Amino acid sequence: MKTKNPNHSRKVELVMLLAYAVAFYIFIIRRSLEITHDHSSKLYGLRPGWLFSSYSLNDVSDAQWRNFRSNLPILTVVFGAFAMLANTLRAYFHLKARGMSIIWLFISLIYLCYLHGACIIFVLAIASLNFLLVKIFAQRNYFPFLLWIINIFFLLCTRVYEGYSFSIFGQRWTFLDNHRGTFRWHICFNFVILRMISFGYDYHGHIEILVLIMRSMSSVAIFVNQENFATKFYRLAGVIELERNISESFSFSIYLCYLVYAPLYIAGPIINFNAFASQLEVPQNNYSSRDVVWYGLRWIFGLFLMELMTHLFYYNAFAISGMWKLLSPLDVFIIGYGVRGDLDCFMLFLLDSSPFEHLIQVHLLITAIYKDVVKSRDTCFKLYVAKVFSDLALFSVLVTGMFAESVCGIETPENMPRCLNNCHNLETFWKNWHASFNKWLVRYLYIPLGGSRRKLLNVWVIFTFVAIWHDLEWKLLSWAWLTCLFFVPEMVVKSAANSFQAKSAFGEFLFREFSAIAGAITITCLMIANLVGYVVGPSGINWLISRFPTREGLPVLSGMFITFYVGTKLMFHIEDAKQR
């Protein structure tokens, strides 16, 4: 009797999954265009557009995107001139960290004066106070706790008072409130907070190492009963050199340059102080001229892509206008997905995981199974164009940070190293969504809190901080706590699944199906958290509960779940193709 070929079954399954995915995204795009057209007259934040026709509208309802977009021409020219000047001076005078920090600090302060006007005083004052606290208390055991308390205090006060007013210093300074620049300083100050904490922790770590070495050397000196042995050994072991290097690397000029470094100032990516200072000393050489040009092209491509999406779909305008309350459950789902995938991720100004990464994954998938049909990425594009077009809103983000750093010799982590539509569990998703921020959280919060030994508790602390760091809103706290609530059962199930081993083909099939169902549940939970956090808010939870478990809402929930199940199965096929 002829046995059934498992590869043939996988091929049939793949064809069916792809057919469903194409049909689903055609429907989503069409429905998005319909609700955009039907409700455009009732939405806030729409401005006359320039694509398609003179009567088209553009969704510029997001304040950060609107400010960045309006200032983009002059920022591009200024950045190009500054980068050329800095690189020329480095090459001509053979400058190292101290010299380059002074040059970039001068350039960045000019940049900040344009952005924030007189409010640069607040940035420099808080930064200077933090520097003094680090230098004074870094040797204390309670320093990490003090560092967090002080910086969270700065973060909360800056948000509550919306960047402060000069009138608090007296009426004679009130005129400075008329010169607050073109970009609200407290909006991007949250990145400065991360850098101040990074500087404090890295300096504290170096001081601890130095103290341990000195103590160990003193013990050796006492043991051999030689009075000046310690001094001689310090010199031999390089302790004095280490102390001098710490003093130079953690100087005020390098610290301030790190905080306000122009290419990374507005939106990152986030790099720790040690990495920044070392690359300021010796610039990275991993990016070739071709890589730099490629990042530049991705930057231009991302700009055009965002313009296209905001001309076609008014997702964010729906959210801020409150129009979602008048929509059906299906349309609310579409708006929630659009808001989270369109403007929010774009505001990081990165294209660290472009649509082409998704294209390459599909290339691997199809060529592994149909080598005789698909011969090139061009063919993959034709086969997968519907899926890629729908995902453009998620992956079309700028490479401003990465492009700037590659030009200026600073290398930072990829912010989205993996296609986010190829993540079927929360842990993988958060490791690849804003990955540089994730690494920062692991290094400066997760590990100091106890790491994996207290994982169930740590996720609540971390996501609460992430919500507060973004903004002081109850809906963001609701998003954070819902995410944690969904995280806990996943960790329990994942721990049990890791100990399971399928001993037969049928067992492997069952495990794969249960994994796909678990992935669909995870994605559904993530969507619910995003709906609450970025669209309806905590006050809309009752509305969601009342609308979805109805005759109209249940089919939408079922369709969502089936779609996420199909998506998870496609992710499994992509992983199988990569392993081949």
Side-chain angles (χ1 to χ4, degrees), residues 394-550:
L394 180 61
F395 297 107
S396 62
V397 285
L398 282 172
V399 290
T400 304
M402 295 296 296
F403 178 51
E405 297 147 31
S406 62
V407 171
C408 302
I410 302 293
E411 181 181 2
T412 61
E414 291 284 347
N415 223 29
M416 295 181 184
R418 179 173 178 172
C419 174
L420 297 180
N421 273 22
N422 192 21
C423 299
H424 51 80
N425 61 68
L426 288 173
E427 187 171 359
T428 303
F429 179 85
W430 288 115
K431 284 182 179 178
N432 294 280
W433 175 262
H434 307 175
S436 65
F437 188 27
N438 178 271
K439 291 178 179 178
W440 187 96
L441 291 169
V442 170
R443 178 168 180 163
Y444 299 115
L445 191 55
Y446 180 70
I447 293 177
L449 286 174
S452 58
R453 291 183 290 109
R454 301 173 182 172
K455 193 172 184 178
L456 290 175
L457 176 63
N458 289 346
V459 293
W460 292 89
V461 179
I462 290 171
F463 276 98
T464 300
F465 168 73
V466 170
I468 295 173
W469 178 81
H470 275 88
D471 208 346
L472 293 178
E473 294 187 62
W474 277 112
K475 66 179 184 179
L476 289 175
L477 286 172
S478 302
W479 161 82
W481 295 335
L482 278 174
T483 302
C484 294
L485 192 65
F486 299 144
F487 223 128
V488 173
E490 178 185 293
M491 288 188 289
V492 175
V493 172
K494 188 175 181 180
S495 177
N498 289 337
S499 61
F500 174 79
Q501 290 184 350
K503 298 181 179 179
S504 64
F506 182 70
E508 183 180 350
F509 167 78
L510 286 179
F511 181 76
R512 192 179 180 94
E513 290 302 311
F514 281 127
S515 298
I517 294 172
I521 294 174
T522 297
I523 299 171
T524 303
C525 292
L526 189 61
M527 288 299 302
I528 293 173
N530 287 339
L531 273 174
V532 173
Y534 294 91
V535 181
V536 303
S539 60
I541 294 178
N542 291 332
W543 181 89
L544 285 175
I545 295 174
S546 65
R547 291 297 299 273
F548 277 92
T550 62

Side-chain angles (χ1 to χ4, degrees), residues 146-186:
L146 177 65
L147 181 68
W148 272 104
I149 292 297
I150 294 297
N151 279 276
I152 289 179
F153 173 78
F154 287 147
L155 177 65
L156 294 179
C157 288
T158 302
R159 287 292 187 177
V160 169
Y161 294 100
E162 297 184 343
Y164 310 109
S165 171
F166 284 99
S167 61
I168 62 177
F169 302 111
Q171 291 300 317
R172 69 174 66 181
W173 304 106
T174 305
F175 74 96
L176 291 176
D177 286 324
N178 298 322
H179 305 281
R180 301 184 72 91
T182 61
F183 200 93
R184 294 173 296 171
W185 75 274
H186 59 281

Side-chain angles (χ1 to χ4, degrees), residues 15 180 194 232 252 279 291 339 433 569:
V15 172
R180 301 184 72 91
L194 299 183
K232 294 180 180 179
F252 184 70
Q279 292 185 82
D291 294 330
V339 169
W433 175 262
K569 294 296 288 287

